[in-house]
Amino acid sequence: MALADVGGVIAAVEIVAHEAALFAAVGFLIGGIDDLAIDLVYFLRAALRGRRRRPDPDLADFTAQAPLRRFAVLVPAWDEAAVIGGMLRTALARLDHPDYRILVGAYPNDRATIDLVAQIAAGDPRVLLVVHHRDGPTTKADCLNQLWHALARDDARHGRRTDAVVLHDAEDVVHTGELRIFDALLGSADVVQLPVLPLVDRTSRLVSGHYIDEFAEAHGKQMLVRQALRAGLPLAGTGCAIRRDMLDRVAAARGGDPFDATSLTEDYELGLTIAAMGGRGRFARVLEAAGGRPVAIRAYFPATIDAAVRQKARWMTGIALAGWDRIGWGRAHQLTDHWMRMRDRRALLAVILLASAYCSLVLWAVSAGAGWFAGRPGTVLAPWFWWLLVANAGLLLWRLALRAAFVGMLYGRGEALLSVPRMVVGNAITLLAARRAVFRYVASLRGRELRWDKTSHHFPAGVDPAG
């Protein structure tokens, strides 16, 4: 190839790299300003609370007062024999509320889970095994609906109505005081969500660890901002309590089932549906002791790239893709609600920006190498482009520092430092999950039946049942 032809190819590569970088840089700037606005609201909220001398309450502020509510803890379980035994024994030993039952939903073709739950139920009347009439897996929401109807039958049999429903996953490590908190706060709220704090998996510090970083910010800052702005609060699907009368209203609007079995993210949608129906949501930040850690639900999160991709793809499909047509943009004229839903659904746009940025880096490296080999001078960026990159670099450094700060407050300095390289891991998982999410969404539009695309779980060994 002639030198002139080589120069033409290099010039074309540089143009593509420049445009891809410009597209990514402008997108990152908009996203960075959006994140910065959330930070400003968070710090303004913190300043106002400090000025009014309103510290976060601690568990000692929540004492059991009669009359106590009756709770039903719903635990959907498909192929959970590895964790359900530990979860139930720990919950029965830890929960310090005197009036609750745990209903576990299993499937007839999952004998191992059935046998474990039946064994525990035989020794403790607070546990009720509910076997689905269909083979599994169906969907998590479908299993929850089966538990809902079983609860109604159980209430009728005992002649007493349950006051509130608590949702938990089969791998959860419950907190001893959570029902006490729910009991107190459900007097002024229709739904209460506790923070979720992933457990540190020493065998997967990067993959499983990136959930630590995301939840530290999401439940340490973003949910508090949503609450301050009076936007709808999405539920995490675990560690949340819903008043029975509120679920009755949702069930009546949905033909008898409160959980939408056609949804991949029924927990996220349920919280926003309750808000749309005028329900009052509360994100409960309660400290275990003054100046201590927050009361939270703990669990291990996926430890392999494949499992993390499948989980993130399910979230992305249900929230960023299906959410557009399933639940719309929220209440009319509620601008903060629209803003929060826009943020929820920007994941796919972020993937496109990330792909564009990585593509531009590769192309610029190729053009620089080829230019050096051909003796051709490199690209000179315009001053305004440099300022755009500097602004993005500043926003990125701020984001990394703030995330590390939130992680450090909950997990210590070591995990805070690891949050920096884990951001790259999280980006890679998001890129892989986006492809799976798009294919899965298209398949659902073509009528493919939804199935429980669950990940395998493990319960922490040696956990103290007494808390």
Side-chain angles (χ1 to χ4, degrees):
M1 183 181 292
L3 190 60
D5 294 334
V6 172
V9 171
I10 294 174
V13 170
E14 289 175 345
I15 291 173
V16 174
H18 183 278
E19 296 305 308
L22 179 60
F23 172 72
V26 171
F28 287 149
L29 181 65
I30 295 172
I33 293 173
D34 180 38
D35 289 335
L36 195 61
I38 295 293
D39 300 337
L40 291 174
V41 175
Y42 172 80
F43 287 118
L44 177 61
R45 171 192 175 275
L48 290 175
R49 287 179 65 87
R51 185 175 180 180
R52 296 170 184 169
R53 300 182 183 276
R54 292 174 57 191
D56 290 325
D58 60 61
L59 199 52
D61 297 324
F62 295 85
T63 56
Q65 297 180 355
L68 297 174
R69 288 180 174 80
R70 181 179 177 85
F71 287 96
V73 182
L74 307 188
V75 184
W78 158 248
D79 192 21
E80 298 288 13
V83 296
I84 192 65
M87 183 270 178
L88 290 176
R89 294 186 187 95
T90 301
L92 292 169
R94 282 190 173 191
L95 295 174
D96 62 6
H97 195 277
D99 198 359
Y100 70 91
R101 295 200 73 190
I102 303 177
L103 284 73
V104 183
Y107 291 86
N109 58 332
D110 182 12
R111 195 70 236 175
T113 299
I114 289 176
D115 290 344
L116 272 170
V117 177
Q119 179 185 2
I120 295 172
D124 196 316
R126 292 174 294 179
V127 177
L128 176 64
L129 171 63
V130 179
V131 180
H132 203 297
H133 63 276
R134 293 172 55 190
D135 281 348
T138 55
T139 63
K140 182 179 177 181
D142 177 61
C143 190
L144 285 169
N145 284 329
Q146 295 297 313
L147 292 171
W148 168 260
H149 294 299
L151 171 62
R153 295 191 297 269
D154 191 59
D155 280 354
R157 186 163 51 249
H158 288 89
R160 183 179 175 189
R161 178 179 168 84
T162 296
D163 299 302
V165 164
V166 178
L167 303 184
H168 267 297
D169 287 331
E171 70 274 16
D172 288 349
V173 180
V174 305
H175 194 282
T176 182
E178 64 178 72
L179 296 186
R180 240 193 301 158
I181 296 171
F182 292 147
D183 205 330
L185 297 183
L186 285 175
S188 59
D190 296 293
V191 57
V192 178
Q193 173 71 61
L194 285 174
V196 176
L197 294 181
L199 291 167
V200 176
D201 188 340
R202 304 291 177 185
T203 67
S204 180
R205 301 301 290 272
L206 295 180
V207 176
S208 181
H210 93 280
Y211 288 96
I212 288 175
D213 312 330
E214 293 182 354
F215 274 91
E217 266 201 292
H219 284 191
K221 177 185 65 175
Q222 293 165 17
M223 287 290 282
L224 295 173
V225 168
R226 293 181 88 124
Q227 183 163 259
L229 296 175
R230 299 186 178 181
L233 296 179
L235 301 181
T238 183
C240 54
I242 311 160
R243 289 173 59 109
R244 178 70 174 273
D245 52 2
M246 187 71 242
L247 275 179
D248 283 336
R249 288 178 57 194
V250 176
R254 291 177 170 176
D257 292 334
F259 305 97
D260 190 342
T262 64
S263 173
L264 288 172
T265 49
E266 74 294 328
D267 41 12
Y268 171 87
E269 292 185 11
L270 180 59
L272 299 183
T273 297
I274 289 173
M277 297 176 70
R280 298 157 296 174
R282 174 77 179 269
F283 183 74
R285 181 175 172 81
V286 178
L287 304 181
E288 293 180 331
R293 292 163 59 90
V295 173
I297 309 306
R298 312 299 300 274
Y300 282 123
F301 276 69
T304 65
I305 291 178
D306 176 68
V309 167
R310 285 192 288 117
Q311 185 178 70
K312 289 290 185 73
R314 180 174 64 83
W315 292 350
M316 200 177 294
T317 304
I319 296 172
L321 291 171
W324 287 71
D325 48 76
R326 290 183 57 84
I327 57 175
W329 288 94
R331 295 163 287 181
H333 312 299
Q334 186 71 29
L335 296 182
T336 57
D337 218 24
H338 301 337
W339 179 23
M340 293 301 106
R341 296 196 190 199
M342 178 201 70
R343 287 180 53 82
D344 294 341
R345 296 166 186 172
R346 71 179 194 174
L348 281 180
L349 178 59
V351 166
I352 295 172
L353 293 174
L354 281 171
S356 181
Y358 288 138
C359 180
S360 68
L361 288 174
V362 171
L363 291 177
W364 251 321
V366 170
S367 66
W372 175 83
F373 184 77
R376 187 177 182 276
T379 302
V380 178
L381 297 177
W384 62 267
F385 202 133
W386 277 112
W387 282 113
L388 179 60
L389 296 179
V390 168
N392 275 316
L395 289 170
L396 176 60
L397 290 175
W398 169 254
R399 178 68 35 231
L400 288 170
L402 198 60
R403 171 168 285 194
F406 276 97
V407 173
M409 285 189 291
L410 295 170
Y411 294 92
R413 186 181 303 171
E415 295 298 328
L417 292 174
L418 282 173
S419 70
V420 176
R422 285 197 298 236
M423 183 171 282
V424 178
V425 175
N427 287 343
I429 290 172
T430 299
L431 286 168
L432 294 171
R435 175 182 176 276
R436 182 181 177 89
V438 170
F439 280 106
R440 195 171 187 192
Y441 180 61
V442 171
S444 71
L445 294 178
R446 294 178 175 176
R448 182 178 177 181
E449 183 182 7
L450 294 177
R451 293 174 65 87
W452 199 337
D453 188 18
K454 67 177 289 295
T455 51
S456 60
H457 302 124
H458 63 285
F459 196 78
V463 65
D464 182 6

